[in-house]
Amino acid sequence: MSTRQQQIAELAQKAPPMGFTSLNHHLDFTWLLVAYWSTRRDGAAGVDGITAADYEADLTANLRSLLDRAKSGSYRAPPVRRVHISKGPGSKETRPIGIPTLEDKVLQRAIVMLLQPIYEQDFKPCSYGFRPGRSAHQALDDLQHQLMKNGSGWILEVDIRKFFDTLDHAHLRDLLRRRVRDGVVLRLIGKWLNAGVLEGGAVTYPSTGSPQGGVISPLLANVYLHYVLDAWWEEAVKPRLAGRASLIRYADDFVIGFTDEADARRVMEVLPKRFGKYGLTIHPDKTRLVPFARPQGRKGRGEPESGNRPGTFDFLGFTHHWGISRRNYAVVKKRTAASRIRRFAKAIGEWCRRNRHRPIQEQHATLSQKLRGHDAYYGVTGNCSSLSRMRAIVARIWRKWLARRSWKGRFGWASLWGLLGRMPLPAARVVHSVYRRV
């Protein structure tokens, strides 16, 4: 964090209710230059087709022009080019991704650099998504800690229907004004919200939503859910509960653990009303209350008695369940969610189908790289069986497509074992181990 960002953060911390009326004086050429070099520049081009190489041909003049237009109010936010990417091979659902222009990305990064020091003083500890120094694995660790500490008997698993597409612009502007009242900053955010979306050769101007892919979208989403959910939970709901409860949120995904069933059912009933007040909808089919009490066996530990097995729930790609530790104590464990295993297997199958005629060494190197990438996220303590299962799935899929390289012969299991004996796939690796933490 720069000195000026530190000053903004300290002022925000000292005066939590204060609205910042003057922020744009920080927005100068040096600030914009730092924003440029902090912006990813190897992505797809926006509607203007300008790449980083084009922009850097006269970087100083381009940034000074951008700064003048932003300060004077003459900057016009171009439409966001929208593309749809599949949520996974074989899935019929797609995720709309907005691709801003490079200049838009730079200016949005500059505004994020202004606002982040303010909101980092306000955001609650339960929020983990798209925040500096925070990660999905920290959210998972906190969730596990809370469940173990409270022995939460009930989990409220919540799904917000199309959050990024239904985020209400009017409500967002009102929520932003609680902390930010600088005219230049608010005007720029308003222009981005109203910029429009280019899709199929036509530009539309939706009155709701913040395109996924925009540099500023994650911060705006966190601001929105901070007021709609996090602050409301901490200040209005939690003090009124009879038992203990904990909320863990990563972007628009969140779960709430309760020790008291009545508390859980009351919150489940009121959540749709709270979100509906701000134009959001709770998905009725994907939102559920799951029994998740600590299993009770002999002496309160060990294998749970018959008929006393708790449920499971999914969060951030893992299925969470009660299990037994090496010391015979009940602990919360994580395994790769079945939906993520299917997604990964379909992706591997599609890659092997398209690349089955490449040299074996190249295929082996790429598949090994994909497995290491899988371990980089799913390699957590207690998930070795899922990681090993993925090796078996990859080997099976690889054999299937190697057998289709030619009609002249078959590539059977014996051939596969011989190949893996010479060129083994990388062993499963627990990247995020509780035993390696200090």
Side-chain angles (χ1 to χ4, degrees):
M1 183 180 289
S2 70
T3 303
R4 285 190 286 176
Q5 285 179 305
Q6 187 66 43
Q7 292 172 351
I8 295 172
E10 291 173 358
L11 187 56
Q13 188 177 41
K14 290 178 183 177
M18 184 185 75
F20 284 75
T21 58
S22 180
L23 284 170
N24 73 85
H25 65 278
H26 293 290
L27 195 62
D28 55 19
F29 176 78
T30 302
W31 191 280
L32 215 56
L33 187 62
V34 172
Y36 180 82
W37 293 117
S38 302
T39 301
R40 181 180 173 183
R41 300 176 298 283
D42 59 351
V47 295
D48 60 1
I50 296 177
T51 65
D54 300 330
Y55 205 77
E56 288 175 21
D58 197 357
L59 182 60
T60 299
N62 287 331
L63 290 181
R64 291 198 181 280
S65 171
L66 177 60
L67 180 62
D68 291 341
R69 284 177 283 139
K71 288 289 192 80
S72 66
S74 61
Y75 178 78
R76 298 185 63 182
V80 173
R81 183 166 67 89
R82 175 175 286 174
V83 296
H84 291 265
I85 62 172
S86 173
K87 290 189 175 180
S91 174
K92 295 182 179 179
E93 295 186 36
T94 61
R95 178 178 289 108
I97 299 294
I99 303 177
T101 63
L102 177 64
E103 205 167 57
D104 236 8
K105 292 178 185 177
V106 174
L107 193 52
Q108 287 186 24
R109 175 62 62 194
I111 298 302
V112 168
M113 288 164 54
L114 283 176
L115 299 184
Q116 203 165 57
I118 298 172
Y119 286 107
E120 278 302 309
Q121 314 311 310
D122 296 351
F123 289 159
K124 303 297 182 182
C126 63
S127 169
Y128 285 91
F130 306 113
R131 294 181 58 188
R134 294 193 155 217
S135 68
H137 285 97
Q138 288 177 330
L140 291 166
D141 289 344
D142 191 8
L143 174 62
Q144 185 178 39
H145 172 73
Q146 296 293 340
L147 294 176
M148 290 289 294
K149 182 179 72 173
N150 296 333
S152 297
W154 298 88
I155 295 293
L156 182 55
E157 189 179 359
V158 184
D159 183 88
I160 306 174
R161 178 179 283 169
K162 296 183 177 180
F163 169 72
F164 282 93
D165 295 334
T166 58
L167 188 148
D168 186 87
H169 293 175
H171 284 304
L172 176 59
R173 291 188 184 95
D174 290 340
L175 296 174
L176 283 169
R177 288 192 187 98
R178 297 187 184 185
R179 272 303 231 169
V180 179
R181 295 168 194 166
D182 183 291
V184 171
V185 173
L186 292 177
R187 183 170 62 238
L188 285 171
I189 293 175
K191 289 183 177 183
W192 288 319
L193 292 175
N194 297 324
V197 175
L198 175 64
E199 185 175 8
V203 179
T204 57
Y205 298 90
S207 59
T208 61
S210 178
Q212 297 184 63
V215 174
I216 202 169
S217 293
L219 178 61
L220 296 181
N222 269 338
V223 171
Y224 204 86
L225 287 177
H226 165 73
Y227 290 110
V228 174
L229 177 64
D230 302 348
W232 170 74
W233 165 261
E234 292 291 341
E235 298 164 11
V237 178
K238 200 171 178 180
R240 292 177 170 84
L241 299 179
R244 298 185 301 275
S246 58
L247 163 71
I248 302 294
R249 180 175 69 82
Y250 188 92
D252 59 328
D253 293 330
F254 68 95
V255 293
I256 311 176
F258 299 87
T259 58
D260 186 89
E261 181 182 359
D263 287 342
R265 296 196 178 279
R266 282 197 300 270
V267 172
M268 187 177 183
E269 182 181 352
V270 76
L271 264 180
K273 301 174 185 176
R274 173 67 182 180
F275 278 70
K277 180 180 177 181
Y278 291 91
L280 302 175
T281 305
I282 299 295
H283 200 300
D285 299 326
K286 296 181 180 180
T287 298
R288 63 192 186 114
L289 191 59
V290 182
F292 201 74
R294 188 191 304 270
Q296 296 298 318
R298 286 182 302 175
K299 299 181 181 179
R301 63 181 187 175
E303 280 294 334
E305 297 170 358
S306 177
N308 192 32
R309 293 184 179 275
T312 64
F313 67 95
D314 289 354
F315 183 60
L316 297 182
F318 289 92
T319 296
H320 300 257
H321 62 100
W322 283 100
I324 304 302
S325 71
R326 293 178 180 177
R327 296 184 180 182
N328 207 32
Y329 284 95
V331 295
V332 176
K333 292 188 174 183
K334 300 185 287 287
R335 63 173 180 264
T336 309
S339 61
R340 299 300 179 92
I341 292 177
R342 290 193 297 269
R343 181 189 301 182
F344 186 71
K346 288 178 180 178
I348 292 294
E350 180 63 21
W351 187 89
C352 287
R353 182 187 67 81
R354 288 187 283 105
N355 296 275
R356 63 185 182 274
H357 295 296
R358 289 182 175 274
I360 297 292
Q361 292 83 354
E362 288 186 17
Q363 294 188 45
H364 175 268
T366 300
L367 291 175
S368 297
Q369 184 181 25
K370 290 180 180 293
L371 283 170
R372 292 189 191 98
H374 182 83
D375 290 356
Y377 184 78
Y378 293 101
V380 300
T381 300
N383 195 35
C384 277
S385 60
S386 293
L387 301 182
S388 298
R389 181 185 173 193
M390 288 313 308
R391 267 76 184 162
I393 290 173
V394 168
R396 186 177 69 246
I397 294 172
W398 195 20
R399 188 208 68 82
K400 169 186 172 181
W401 288 106
L402 287 178
R404 299 186 182 187
R405 281 163 61 100
S406 170
W407 291 103
K408 296 179 181 179
R410 293 180 59 82
F411 190 91
W413 288 106
S415 301
L416 176 68
W417 302 139
L419 173 62
L420 293 179
R422 300 188 307 271
M423 304 169 60
L425 294 171
R429 179 169 175 251
V430 176
V431 178
H432 307 276
S433 172
V434 295
Y435 302 109
R436 286 199 294 265
R437 293 175 194 159
V438 178

